[in-house]
Amino acid sequence: MSGPPAPVAAVRVAVRRALTGPDAPEAGDLVLVACSGGADSLALLAATTFEAPRAGFRAGAVVVNHGWSPDSASQAAVVGELARSLGAEPVEVVAVSCDRSEDAARRARYAALDDTASRLGATRVLLGHTLDDQAETVLLGLARGSGARSLSGMAVRRDHYLRPLLGLRRRTLRDAVAAANLEPWHDPANDDPAFARTRVRHDVLPMLEQALGPGVVHALGRTAELLSADADALDLWAAQCDPGTPDVAVEQLLVLPAAVRRRVLRAMALRAGAPASALNAGHVVALDALLTEWHGQGPVALPGALCGVRACGRLAVIPLAAVQSDVTLS
């Protein structure tokens, strides 16, 4: 007896590998697939519903409706019914309200997925990002001038999220859906040039592949994997050097390599209450200048009504109001 078509088998193997081993869900656990109805997430859903009964876990689906078009609600309902026909149970169709921007959509989508997973008691949420998505993420990070953590792209696992398909090309997912006689939905937003990712997908990556060869996507994926390992090592080193106190001796920080020192400074700011979404590399560099370019300068303003100050041989991140009240370091 012949097996499934090669693209279908490749997706099933990727899902099986992601859901086995030390991080495998326990018997009876609910695993949710975030499914937009596009080829990538549809192939992921089909593979997950196939693997679930064989591995002893339950497979459900979440369809997030961003409400960006008049027919988005009806389209989300169609995707929900398709998910049920593939054997997903439960299936949740969740409407969110957000501005028409990539960041707003991402925040709203993950908030909806988190809420649904918590409400249903799901232990894993599977996302359909591919190797092509990873390459796009690395290029977007390069354009922003980001560091190793951002250039390491998307993690295979983060908390309860899993991305089983990061090693597969987008065309493999499309072939898998076609081989299974499934009809994917094409989101018009994926062709909107107002979005930076769309321009990278349709213009930048094809241009790079034409100029440098078809191995560019795989090379960018390997770059992400290598930088992820480097960033993990630097984060671990920084955690070991971070005293966890409100202020740190200048000498204790200056002996550290810049990549480690700046991670400690970022951790100090976050611990003091700086919002992670607002704390950027410029803030951390300015804090670092209190150590490496010290000439008696004043406080460095930080998000969250905080500031970094150097006094008495120590550096601290404290409320801005404390500086305005002339509170000094003890």
Side-chain angles (χ1 to χ4, degrees):
M1 180 182 295
S2 61
V8 173
V11 183
R12 289 177 180 176
V13 168
V15 170
R16 191 180 313 141
R17 287 174 176 169
L19 292 171
T20 56
D23 291 332
E26 296 181 3
D29 277 1
L30 175 62
V31 173
L32 293 176
V33 176
C35 186
S36 67
D40 301 347
S41 61
L42 195 56
L44 174 62
L45 178 61
T48 304
T49 54
F50 178 86
E51 294 292 332
R54 293 159 176 77
F57 60 86
R58 297 178 293 137
V62 184
V63 183
V64 179
N65 168 24
H66 295 93
W68 282 359
S69 64
D71 64 343
S72 59
S74 59
Q75 179 58 49
V78 169
V79 176
E81 287 304 315
L82 179 56
R84 292 185 183 93
S85 73
L86 288 171
E89 180 61 38
V91 175
E92 294 269 330
V93 178
V94 183
V96 298
S97 178
C98 62
D99 296 334
R100 191 177 176 85
S101 74
E102 291 170 294
D103 287 342
R106 185 182 304 107
R107 289 193 300 269
R109 183 165 58 251
Y110 279 104
L113 293 174
D114 285 340
D115 176 73
T116 305
S118 176
R119 180 162 42 82
L120 297 179
T123 62
R124 304 286 189 277
V125 178
L126 306 190
L127 305 174
H129 296 119
T130 66
L131 182 60
D132 296 79
D133 294 309
Q134 186 75 297
E136 293 161 10
T137 300
V138 173
L139 288 174
L140 288 167
L142 282 170
R144 291 191 298 266
S146 302
R149 175 56 68 193
S150 181
L151 295 181
S152 65
M154 297 175 284
V156 173
R157 178 165 187 183
R158 178 178 61 82
D159 301 326
H160 53 282
Y161 288 101
L162 277 175
R163 296 181 173 90
L165 310 182
L166 280 182
L168 299 179
R169 293 296 305 268
R170 187 174 290 132
R171 60 174 173 263
T172 300
L173 282 300
R174 291 174 178 171
D175 291 344
V177 166
N181 295 315
L182 296 172
E183 186 67 35
W185 174 64
H186 181 73
D187 186 351
N190 290 333
D191 295 326
D192 189 344
F195 299 135
R197 184 175 289 273
T198 298
R199 298 193 298 274
V200 169
R201 178 173 302 171
H202 295 298
D203 299 329
V204 178
L205 262 179
M207 180 185 66
L208 287 175
E209 289 190 311
Q210 182 178 7
L212 302 176
V216 167
V217 169
H218 287 280
L220 289 168
R222 286 195 301 273
T223 296
E225 186 176 354
L226 292 169
L227 284 173
S228 178
D230 290 348
D232 287 345
L234 290 169
D235 287 346
L236 177 60
W237 189 354
Q240 293 170 341
C241 295
D242 182 0
T245 55
D247 56 274
V248 183
V250 169
E251 292 81 359
Q252 186 175 345
L253 293 170
L254 281 174
V255 297
L256 300 174
V260 177
R261 184 176 64 244
R262 291 179 178 179
R263 280 170 165 76
V264 174
L265 293 173
R266 176 177 171 80
M268 290 176 62
L270 293 174
R271 191 163 54 244
S277 59
L279 185 68
N280 59 41
H283 295 124
V284 178
V285 169
L287 274 178
D288 198 37
L290 293 177
L291 302 169
T292 60
E293 300 176 22
W294 176 245
H295 49 77
Q297 61 265 44
V300 170
L302 299 172
L306 300 170
C307 66
V309 295
R310 173 172 171 168
C312 305
R314 303 184 72 80
L315 185 141
V317 178
I318 60 177
L320 183 60
V323 173
Q324 294 170 340
S325 300
D326 294 326
V327 174
T328 58
L329 302 180
S330 59

